[in-house]
């Protein structure tokens, strides 16, 4: 995969990047792009069939529920982010079924594992975010690919910043997936991510 393919140059792709860049700080934005890149690289190397635009748009906005303008006091952040995706894609003219898929992909990235056979895009967003947040499965990626990705989209202290955001979610919404994630040792896994020793 080349650098150019890490940004999807379609009307929907450009809109998702514009919105993500407007609301996410640089560390969170870079995480979103890296998550897509890891997911797409994983899929392409395995010949998985998936909707590239759906995955890209979902990846770019998947964490906007962690930002102040979209942080819901009642909904888990992934559900809030799913609603952002629905509104964005409605404005882009996506049909209702595809809008619902964008929401589903974002919600499921924080839930139980989904196989590629069950739901390719949700599986791929789980793969991409897991690789970027905690380094899960990094051995599956060519180090040259990972190095180029980090050079183009550096970490910028993402690990610590991300843990602070999900820990805040866990404290305020103790029944949400983020709370289980934090209780399950997220801080230690994020701190051990080899990517933070690369860039």
């Amino acid at each position: 995969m080349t650098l150019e393919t890490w940004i999807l140059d379609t009307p929907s792709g450009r809109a998702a990047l514009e919105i993500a860049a407007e609301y996410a700080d640089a560390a969170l934005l870079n995480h979103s792009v890296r998550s897509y890149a890891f997911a797409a690289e994983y899929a392409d190397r395995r010949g998985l069939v998936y909707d590239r635009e759906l995955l890209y748009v979902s990846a770019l906005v998947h964490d906007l529920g962690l930002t102040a303008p979209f942080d819901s006091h009642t909904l888990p952040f992934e559900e809030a982010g799913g609603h952002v995706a629905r509104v964005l894609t409605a404005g882009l003219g996506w049909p209702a079924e595809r809008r619902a898929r964008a929401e589903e992909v974002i919600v499921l990235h924080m839930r139980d594992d989904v196989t590629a056979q069950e739901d390719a895009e949700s599986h791929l967003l789980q793969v991409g975010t897991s690789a970027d947040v905690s380094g899960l499965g990094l051995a599956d990626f060519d180090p040259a690919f990972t190095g180029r990705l980090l050079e183009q989209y550096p970490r910028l202290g993402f690990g610590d910043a991300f843990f602070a955001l999900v820990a805040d979610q866990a404290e305020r919404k103790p029944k949400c997936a983020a709370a289980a994630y934090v209780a399950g040792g997220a801080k230690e896994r994020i701190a051990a991510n080899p990517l933070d020793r690369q860039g």
Side-chain angles (χ1 to χ4, degrees):
M1 180 176 288
T2 64
L3 288 175
E4 290 75 20
T5 63
W6 297 346
I7 297 296
L8 194 63
D9 191 20
T10 67
S12 293
R14 290 192 294 271
L17 179 59
E18 182 177 352
I19 291 300
E22 184 171 344
Y23 287 100
D25 63 19
L28 197 61
L29 176 64
N30 284 4
H31 159 66
S32 299
V33 175
R34 288 192 309 267
S35 294
Y36 167 74
F38 278 123
E41 177 76 358
Y42 177 94
D44 293 346
R45 286 189 174 272
R46 286 160 179 77
L48 296 179
V49 176
Y50 66 102
D51 182 332
R52 190 175 295 270
E53 187 174 65
L54 172 63
L55 176 63
Y56 181 81
V57 170
S58 300
L60 264 288
V61 303
H62 80 276
D63 275 343
L64 289 186
L66 291 170
T67 66
F70 300 115
D71 180 14
S72 169
H73 71 284
T74 56
L75 295 177
F77 80 89
E78 68 274 16
E79 293 183 17
H83 288 292
V84 172
R86 284 188 81 112
V87 172
L88 170 64
T89 55
L92 293 169
W94 286 22
E97 183 178 349
R98 198 167 187 228
R99 296 197 304 268
R101 283 289 294 130
E103 178 184 20
E104 182 178 39
V105 169
I106 292 170
V107 169
L108 289 180
H109 97 277
M110 282 294 292
R111 304 298 167 89
D112 293 337
D113 286 343
V114 177
T115 68
Q117 291 72 33
E118 292 173 305
D119 180 342
E121 293 80 18
S122 295
H123 174 74
L124 291 171
L125 188 57
Q126 288 177 340
V127 167
T129 55
S130 295
D132 196 61
V133 171
S134 59
L136 183 65
L138 282 180
D140 292 336
F141 297 94
D142 184 339
F145 161 82
T146 304
R148 291 196 309 273
L149 182 59
L150 290 176
E151 183 178 354
Q152 187 74 11
Y153 297 97
R155 303 284 289 173
L156 306 176
F158 168 71
D160 289 341
F162 182 74
F163 180 75
L165 289 170
V166 294
D168 175 64
Q169 293 280 316
E171 183 177 350
R172 291 187 289 115
K173 307 168 194 176
K175 295 183 180 179
C176 72
Y181 176 62
V182 169
K187 184 174 185 178
E188 293 75 19
R189 292 197 301 276
I190 291 171
N193 189 345
L195 293 178
D196 286 323
R197 296 189 285 279
Q198 292 178 249

